[in-house]
Amino acid sequence: LPLQVAWDDKLVPEPLAIRICLALFWWVEMGLNFVTGYYKEGQLVKEIPLAATRYLKKFFVPDLLINLFEIAAIILESYENFKQSGYVRFIRIAKLSRMARIFSV
């Protein structure tokens, strides 16, 4: 992925089915975050309403935007004129912020 972002080159073409499966995975993961417990002051919080509220406040908007960008990328990359534009590159860079979230947890 870093090479693809840096040189805007697809070293290995990603089949559409794989892209769709990965997008579905991230949408499911987003839904599961509403019911995932967390630690607060050393105590495990397992109450679903509290977990959902925390997720909505901290990570929901970035996750939603990234997932929407991914869907947009899948649709737009099917059109040849968008492959040459900077929009797809922007979407790829936006997806890197998901890695920042993974490492911040």
Side-chain angles (χ1 to χ4, degrees):
L1 182 66
L3 292 173
Q4 292 174 344
V5 172
W7 285 280
D8 196 28
D9 185 31
K10 288 197 173 204
L11 301 176
V12 178
E14 299 168 333
L16 182 61
I18 292 174
R19 301 262 331 255
I20 291 172
C21 287
L22 288 173
L24 287 173
F25 168 80
W26 288 113
W27 281 100
V28 168
E29 187 263 347
M30 193 172 133
L32 289 174
N33 281 324
F34 283 101
V35 295
T36 300
Y38 63 95
Y39 284 95
K40 181 177 181 180
E41 298 175 4
Q43 297 292 324
L44 179 62
V45 178
K46 294 191 276 184
E47 288 84 17
I48 291 175
L50 294 175
T53 302
R54 180 176 185 263
Y55 178 63
L56 282 170
K57 288 180 180 178
K58 293 187 102 181
F59 298 117
F60 176 74
V61 172
D63 281 354
L64 179 65
L65 291 175
I66 291 168
N67 286 338
L68 290 175
F69 281 143
E70 178 62 23
I71 297 298
I74 290 170
I75 293 168
L76 294 177
E77 284 182 357
S78 65
Y79 297 106
E80 190 62 39
N81 58 343
F82 274 75
K83 288 181 183 179
Q84 304 303 323
S85 71
Y87 295 116
V88 174
R89 184 178 179 89
F90 171 75
I91 291 170
R92 286 184 191 154
I93 292 171
K95 291 191 303 186
L96 290 176
S97 65
R98 185 183 304 274
M99 295 302 292
R101 179 180 160 236
I102 290 171
F103 289 116
S104 71
V105 173

